[in-house]
Amino acid sequence: MEFHRDFDIVADHNGNVWLLWISWESEFAPAYLNLSKSIDSGRTFTTLFSSLSYFDGHLYQKLAVDAQNSIYMLWDDVQFKLTKFRFGDINQRVDAEIPNDTLLIGSWPSLTVSKDFVVHCAWEGSFYDPATGYHEFVFYSRSTDSGATFQGRTRIDTADIVGSWAYVHHLPALAVDSTGIVFVSYTRELAVNQSDVRIVRSTDGGQTFLKPLVVSGTDTAYAPALCIDSERGVNILWNAHGTYHNRSTDGGTSFTSSTYVGNIGLHDLKPSEGGFLYITGEYNSRMCFTKTNIILSVPMDAAQPCIFTLFPSYPN
């Protein structure tokens, strides 16, 4: 019997849908990383690539696509690896093993490729400091040669501790706008049961990052998702006893006040050319889906009429 877990999905510019997923036959059997493709808008999929992974099958993986429809897979197999299929052709495969001294091994990677074919990656890395204890930080790295090599790593938040409490920075989300501004959002735990959602931006393509900006309006916010809409608006959604939305129209300098979207247990966020955000999540063990207008920030399912009634003409 085959089990599945942990997947990512992207659509290329030809309308093909790509699905990255993990399978294994039993709890103690080797795991496989699989890449499947659909040419009929996701109705059916064909698995084109399958790679044996390490024994316990504990992987983190992300997908991205560039302007030439090349597919990028970032996956963790003891250390992060990047596999690229040029122009979406499985037979034109390029592998890169990202060295330990370049990319700190961690978890929850986020991946995107900007229009100039620079590959951007953010992830959560951990280490133990005898003086200040256990730390989780968010790091960033980029590749300017389409994923062949990565240029060091940058820690995006330099705050370590408050009092005796070690900060924990985790769950990063990454986006790059059409001008090359890099945005990374993440959760920062401030104390037990206290956290907020922050965002940093880089105006030099990821070489340096500006001071973090807190966007959440609560002390229990976590797990942000991030995307750039068709008007270059920066959208960030996050969870805190419900899902909330903030948007920036000035390149990430400032954000609107938080707007409640719904109790959907946010998982992912995608923009559309029609001016909507498509949101997937999970609530009460059920998968949820909604779309939100980026200007009004109102869930569209709440704005649609659910009943029609015809009243008498008088006194209308």
Side-chain angles (χ1 to χ4, degrees), residues 228-283:
I228 311 295
D229 61 52
S230 56
E231 299 180 2
R232 283 193 60 220
V234 184
N235 297 274
I236 182 169
L237 272 78
W238 44 276
N239 292 313
H241 305 294
T243 301
Y244 294 83
H245 173 221
N246 300 78
R247 184 168 184 259
S248 172
T249 57
D250 57 9
T253 302
S254 62
F255 284 80
T256 61
S257 299
S258 302
T259 303
Y260 180 72
V261 174
N263 197 1
I264 60 175
L266 173 67
H267 278 186
D268 201 6
L269 173 67
K270 300 292 184 184
S272 75
E273 294 298 326
F276 294 97
L277 304 180
Y278 290 90
I279 307 164
T280 55
E282 181 181 356
Y283 180 69

Side-chain angles (χ1 to χ4, degrees), residues 75-106:
W75 48 294
D76 171 22
D77 187 6
V78 181
Q79 65 183 55
F80 282 126
K81 298 180 180 180
L82 188 77
T83 297
K84 175 184 176 182
F85 298 105
R86 299 180 66 242
F87 314 117
D89 185 350
I90 297 299
N91 296 316
Q92 297 193 51
R93 174 181 172 183
V94 179
D95 289 308
E97 185 168 296
I98 303 170
N100 287 328
D101 60 351
T102 300
L103 203 59
L104 181 66
I105 304 309

